[in-house]
């Protein structure tokens, strides 16, 4: 069960249905809840204030793989005609491979893969690095509320806005079965 701050931030989210705590997710993504000091140090390292809604969710369940793993997209991507797939959401930390400041965290994608430095890459896609989900701070500045965008490495790092904020992104996630008939 999600704690009270998560329920206030995401009132319609079913806590039992959101995360898929499979063995891979637990090993690569899920970490202990972040302390205030860890949150501050990761934000300082990345150069951005993380969205309060994201921090709230991570304090309850720090990273993982969502059961509903598809987010509608307004235009075609290299993944599909109408959506993008989300492999996992990175937690706040350094210990897990897929954590914001971990081995395959946000800076890795910018420094090693050449992703544009528009903010914080916080979610992986099943393409093994050929597309990512990011908090885009270009319009809000480093302390503002970022949009959530899809960045498509295969199409010259094309940026597609998925949601105006993290709460909207989480609520937009849909089950893969809704897209089974898509080619």
């Amino acid at each position: 069960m999600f704690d009270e701050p998560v329920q206030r931030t995401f009132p319609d989210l079913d806590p039992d249905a959101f995360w898929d705590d499979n063995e891979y997710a637990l090993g690569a993504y899920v970490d202990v809840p972040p302390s205030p000091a860890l949150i501050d140090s990761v934000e300082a390292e990345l150069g951005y204030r993380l969205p309060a809604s994201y921090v709230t969710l991570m304090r309850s369940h720090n990273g993982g793989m969502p059961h509903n793993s598809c987010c509608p997209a307004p235009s075609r991507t290299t993944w599909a005609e109408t959506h993008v797939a989300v492999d996992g959401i990175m937690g706040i930390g350094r210990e897990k491979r897929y954590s914001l400041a971990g081995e395959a965290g946000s800076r890795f994608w910018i420094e090693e893969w050449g992703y544009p430095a528009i903010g914080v890459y916080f979610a992986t896609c099943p393409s093994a690095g050929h597309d990512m989900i990011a908090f885009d701070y270009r319009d809000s500045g480093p302390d503002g509320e970022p949009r959530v965008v899809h960045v498509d490495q295969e199409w010259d790092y094309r940026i597609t806005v998925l949601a105006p904020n993290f709460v909207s992104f989480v609520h937009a996630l849909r089950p893969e079965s809704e897209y089974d008939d898509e080619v």
Side-chain angles (χ1 to χ4, degrees):
M1 187 62 137
F2 284 146
D3 59 20
E4 187 177 324
V6 175
Q7 289 175 332
R8 277 194 312 270
T9 304
F10 301 94
D12 299 324
L13 196 64
D14 179 354
D16 298 322
F18 188 73
W19 296 110
D20 177 1
D21 284 336
N22 62 60
E23 185 177 334
Y24 180 75
L26 294 172
Y29 288 93
V30 182
D31 206 346
V32 298
S35 68
L38 179 60
I39 294 166
D40 290 346
S41 72
V42 168
E43 287 178 332
E45 180 178 324
L46 298 176
Y48 297 96
R49 183 188 54 79
L50 297 169
S53 57
Y54 168 79
V55 172
T56 297
L57 187 59
M58 294 306 108
R59 284 183 171 148
S60 175
H61 193 284
N62 196 15
M65 299 174 78
H67 278 291
N68 291 339
S69 60
C70 294
C71 183
S75 58
R76 177 168 177 48
T77 68
T78 55
W79 183 257
E81 292 285 335
T82 63
H83 71 284
V84 298
V86 178
D87 235 5
I89 298 172
M90 296 181 197
I92 301 170
R94 294 182 176 84
E95 300 303 314
K96 295 293 179 161
R97 175 173 173 74
Y98 294 107
S99 57
L100 292 183
E103 178 185 345
S106 184
R107 291 179 69 188
F108 169 81
W109 298 105
I110 296 167
E111 294 168 3
E112 299 296 323
W113 277 65
Y115 274 84
I118 60 171
V120 177
Y121 291 86
F122 75 92
T124 59
C125 299
S127 65
H130 294 278
D131 60 332
M132 297 288 296
I133 310 295
F135 292 128
D136 177 3
Y137 290 85
R138 291 176 298 168
D139 291 342
S140 67
D143 294 319
E145 183 69 23
R147 299 178 297 186
V148 174
V149 300
H150 174 255
V151 182
D152 204 327
Q153 185 254 357
E154 291 293 312
W155 285 355
D156 199 28
Y157 299 100
R158 185 178 80 178
I159 298 170
T160 303
V161 176
L162 298 176
N165 54 50
F166 184 68
V167 171
S168 298
F169 170 74
V170 167
H171 286 298
L173 293 174
R174 299 287 177 260
E176 186 177 353
S177 62
E178 287 189 18
Y179 298 99
D180 282 347
D181 61 346
E182 189 173 306
V183 175

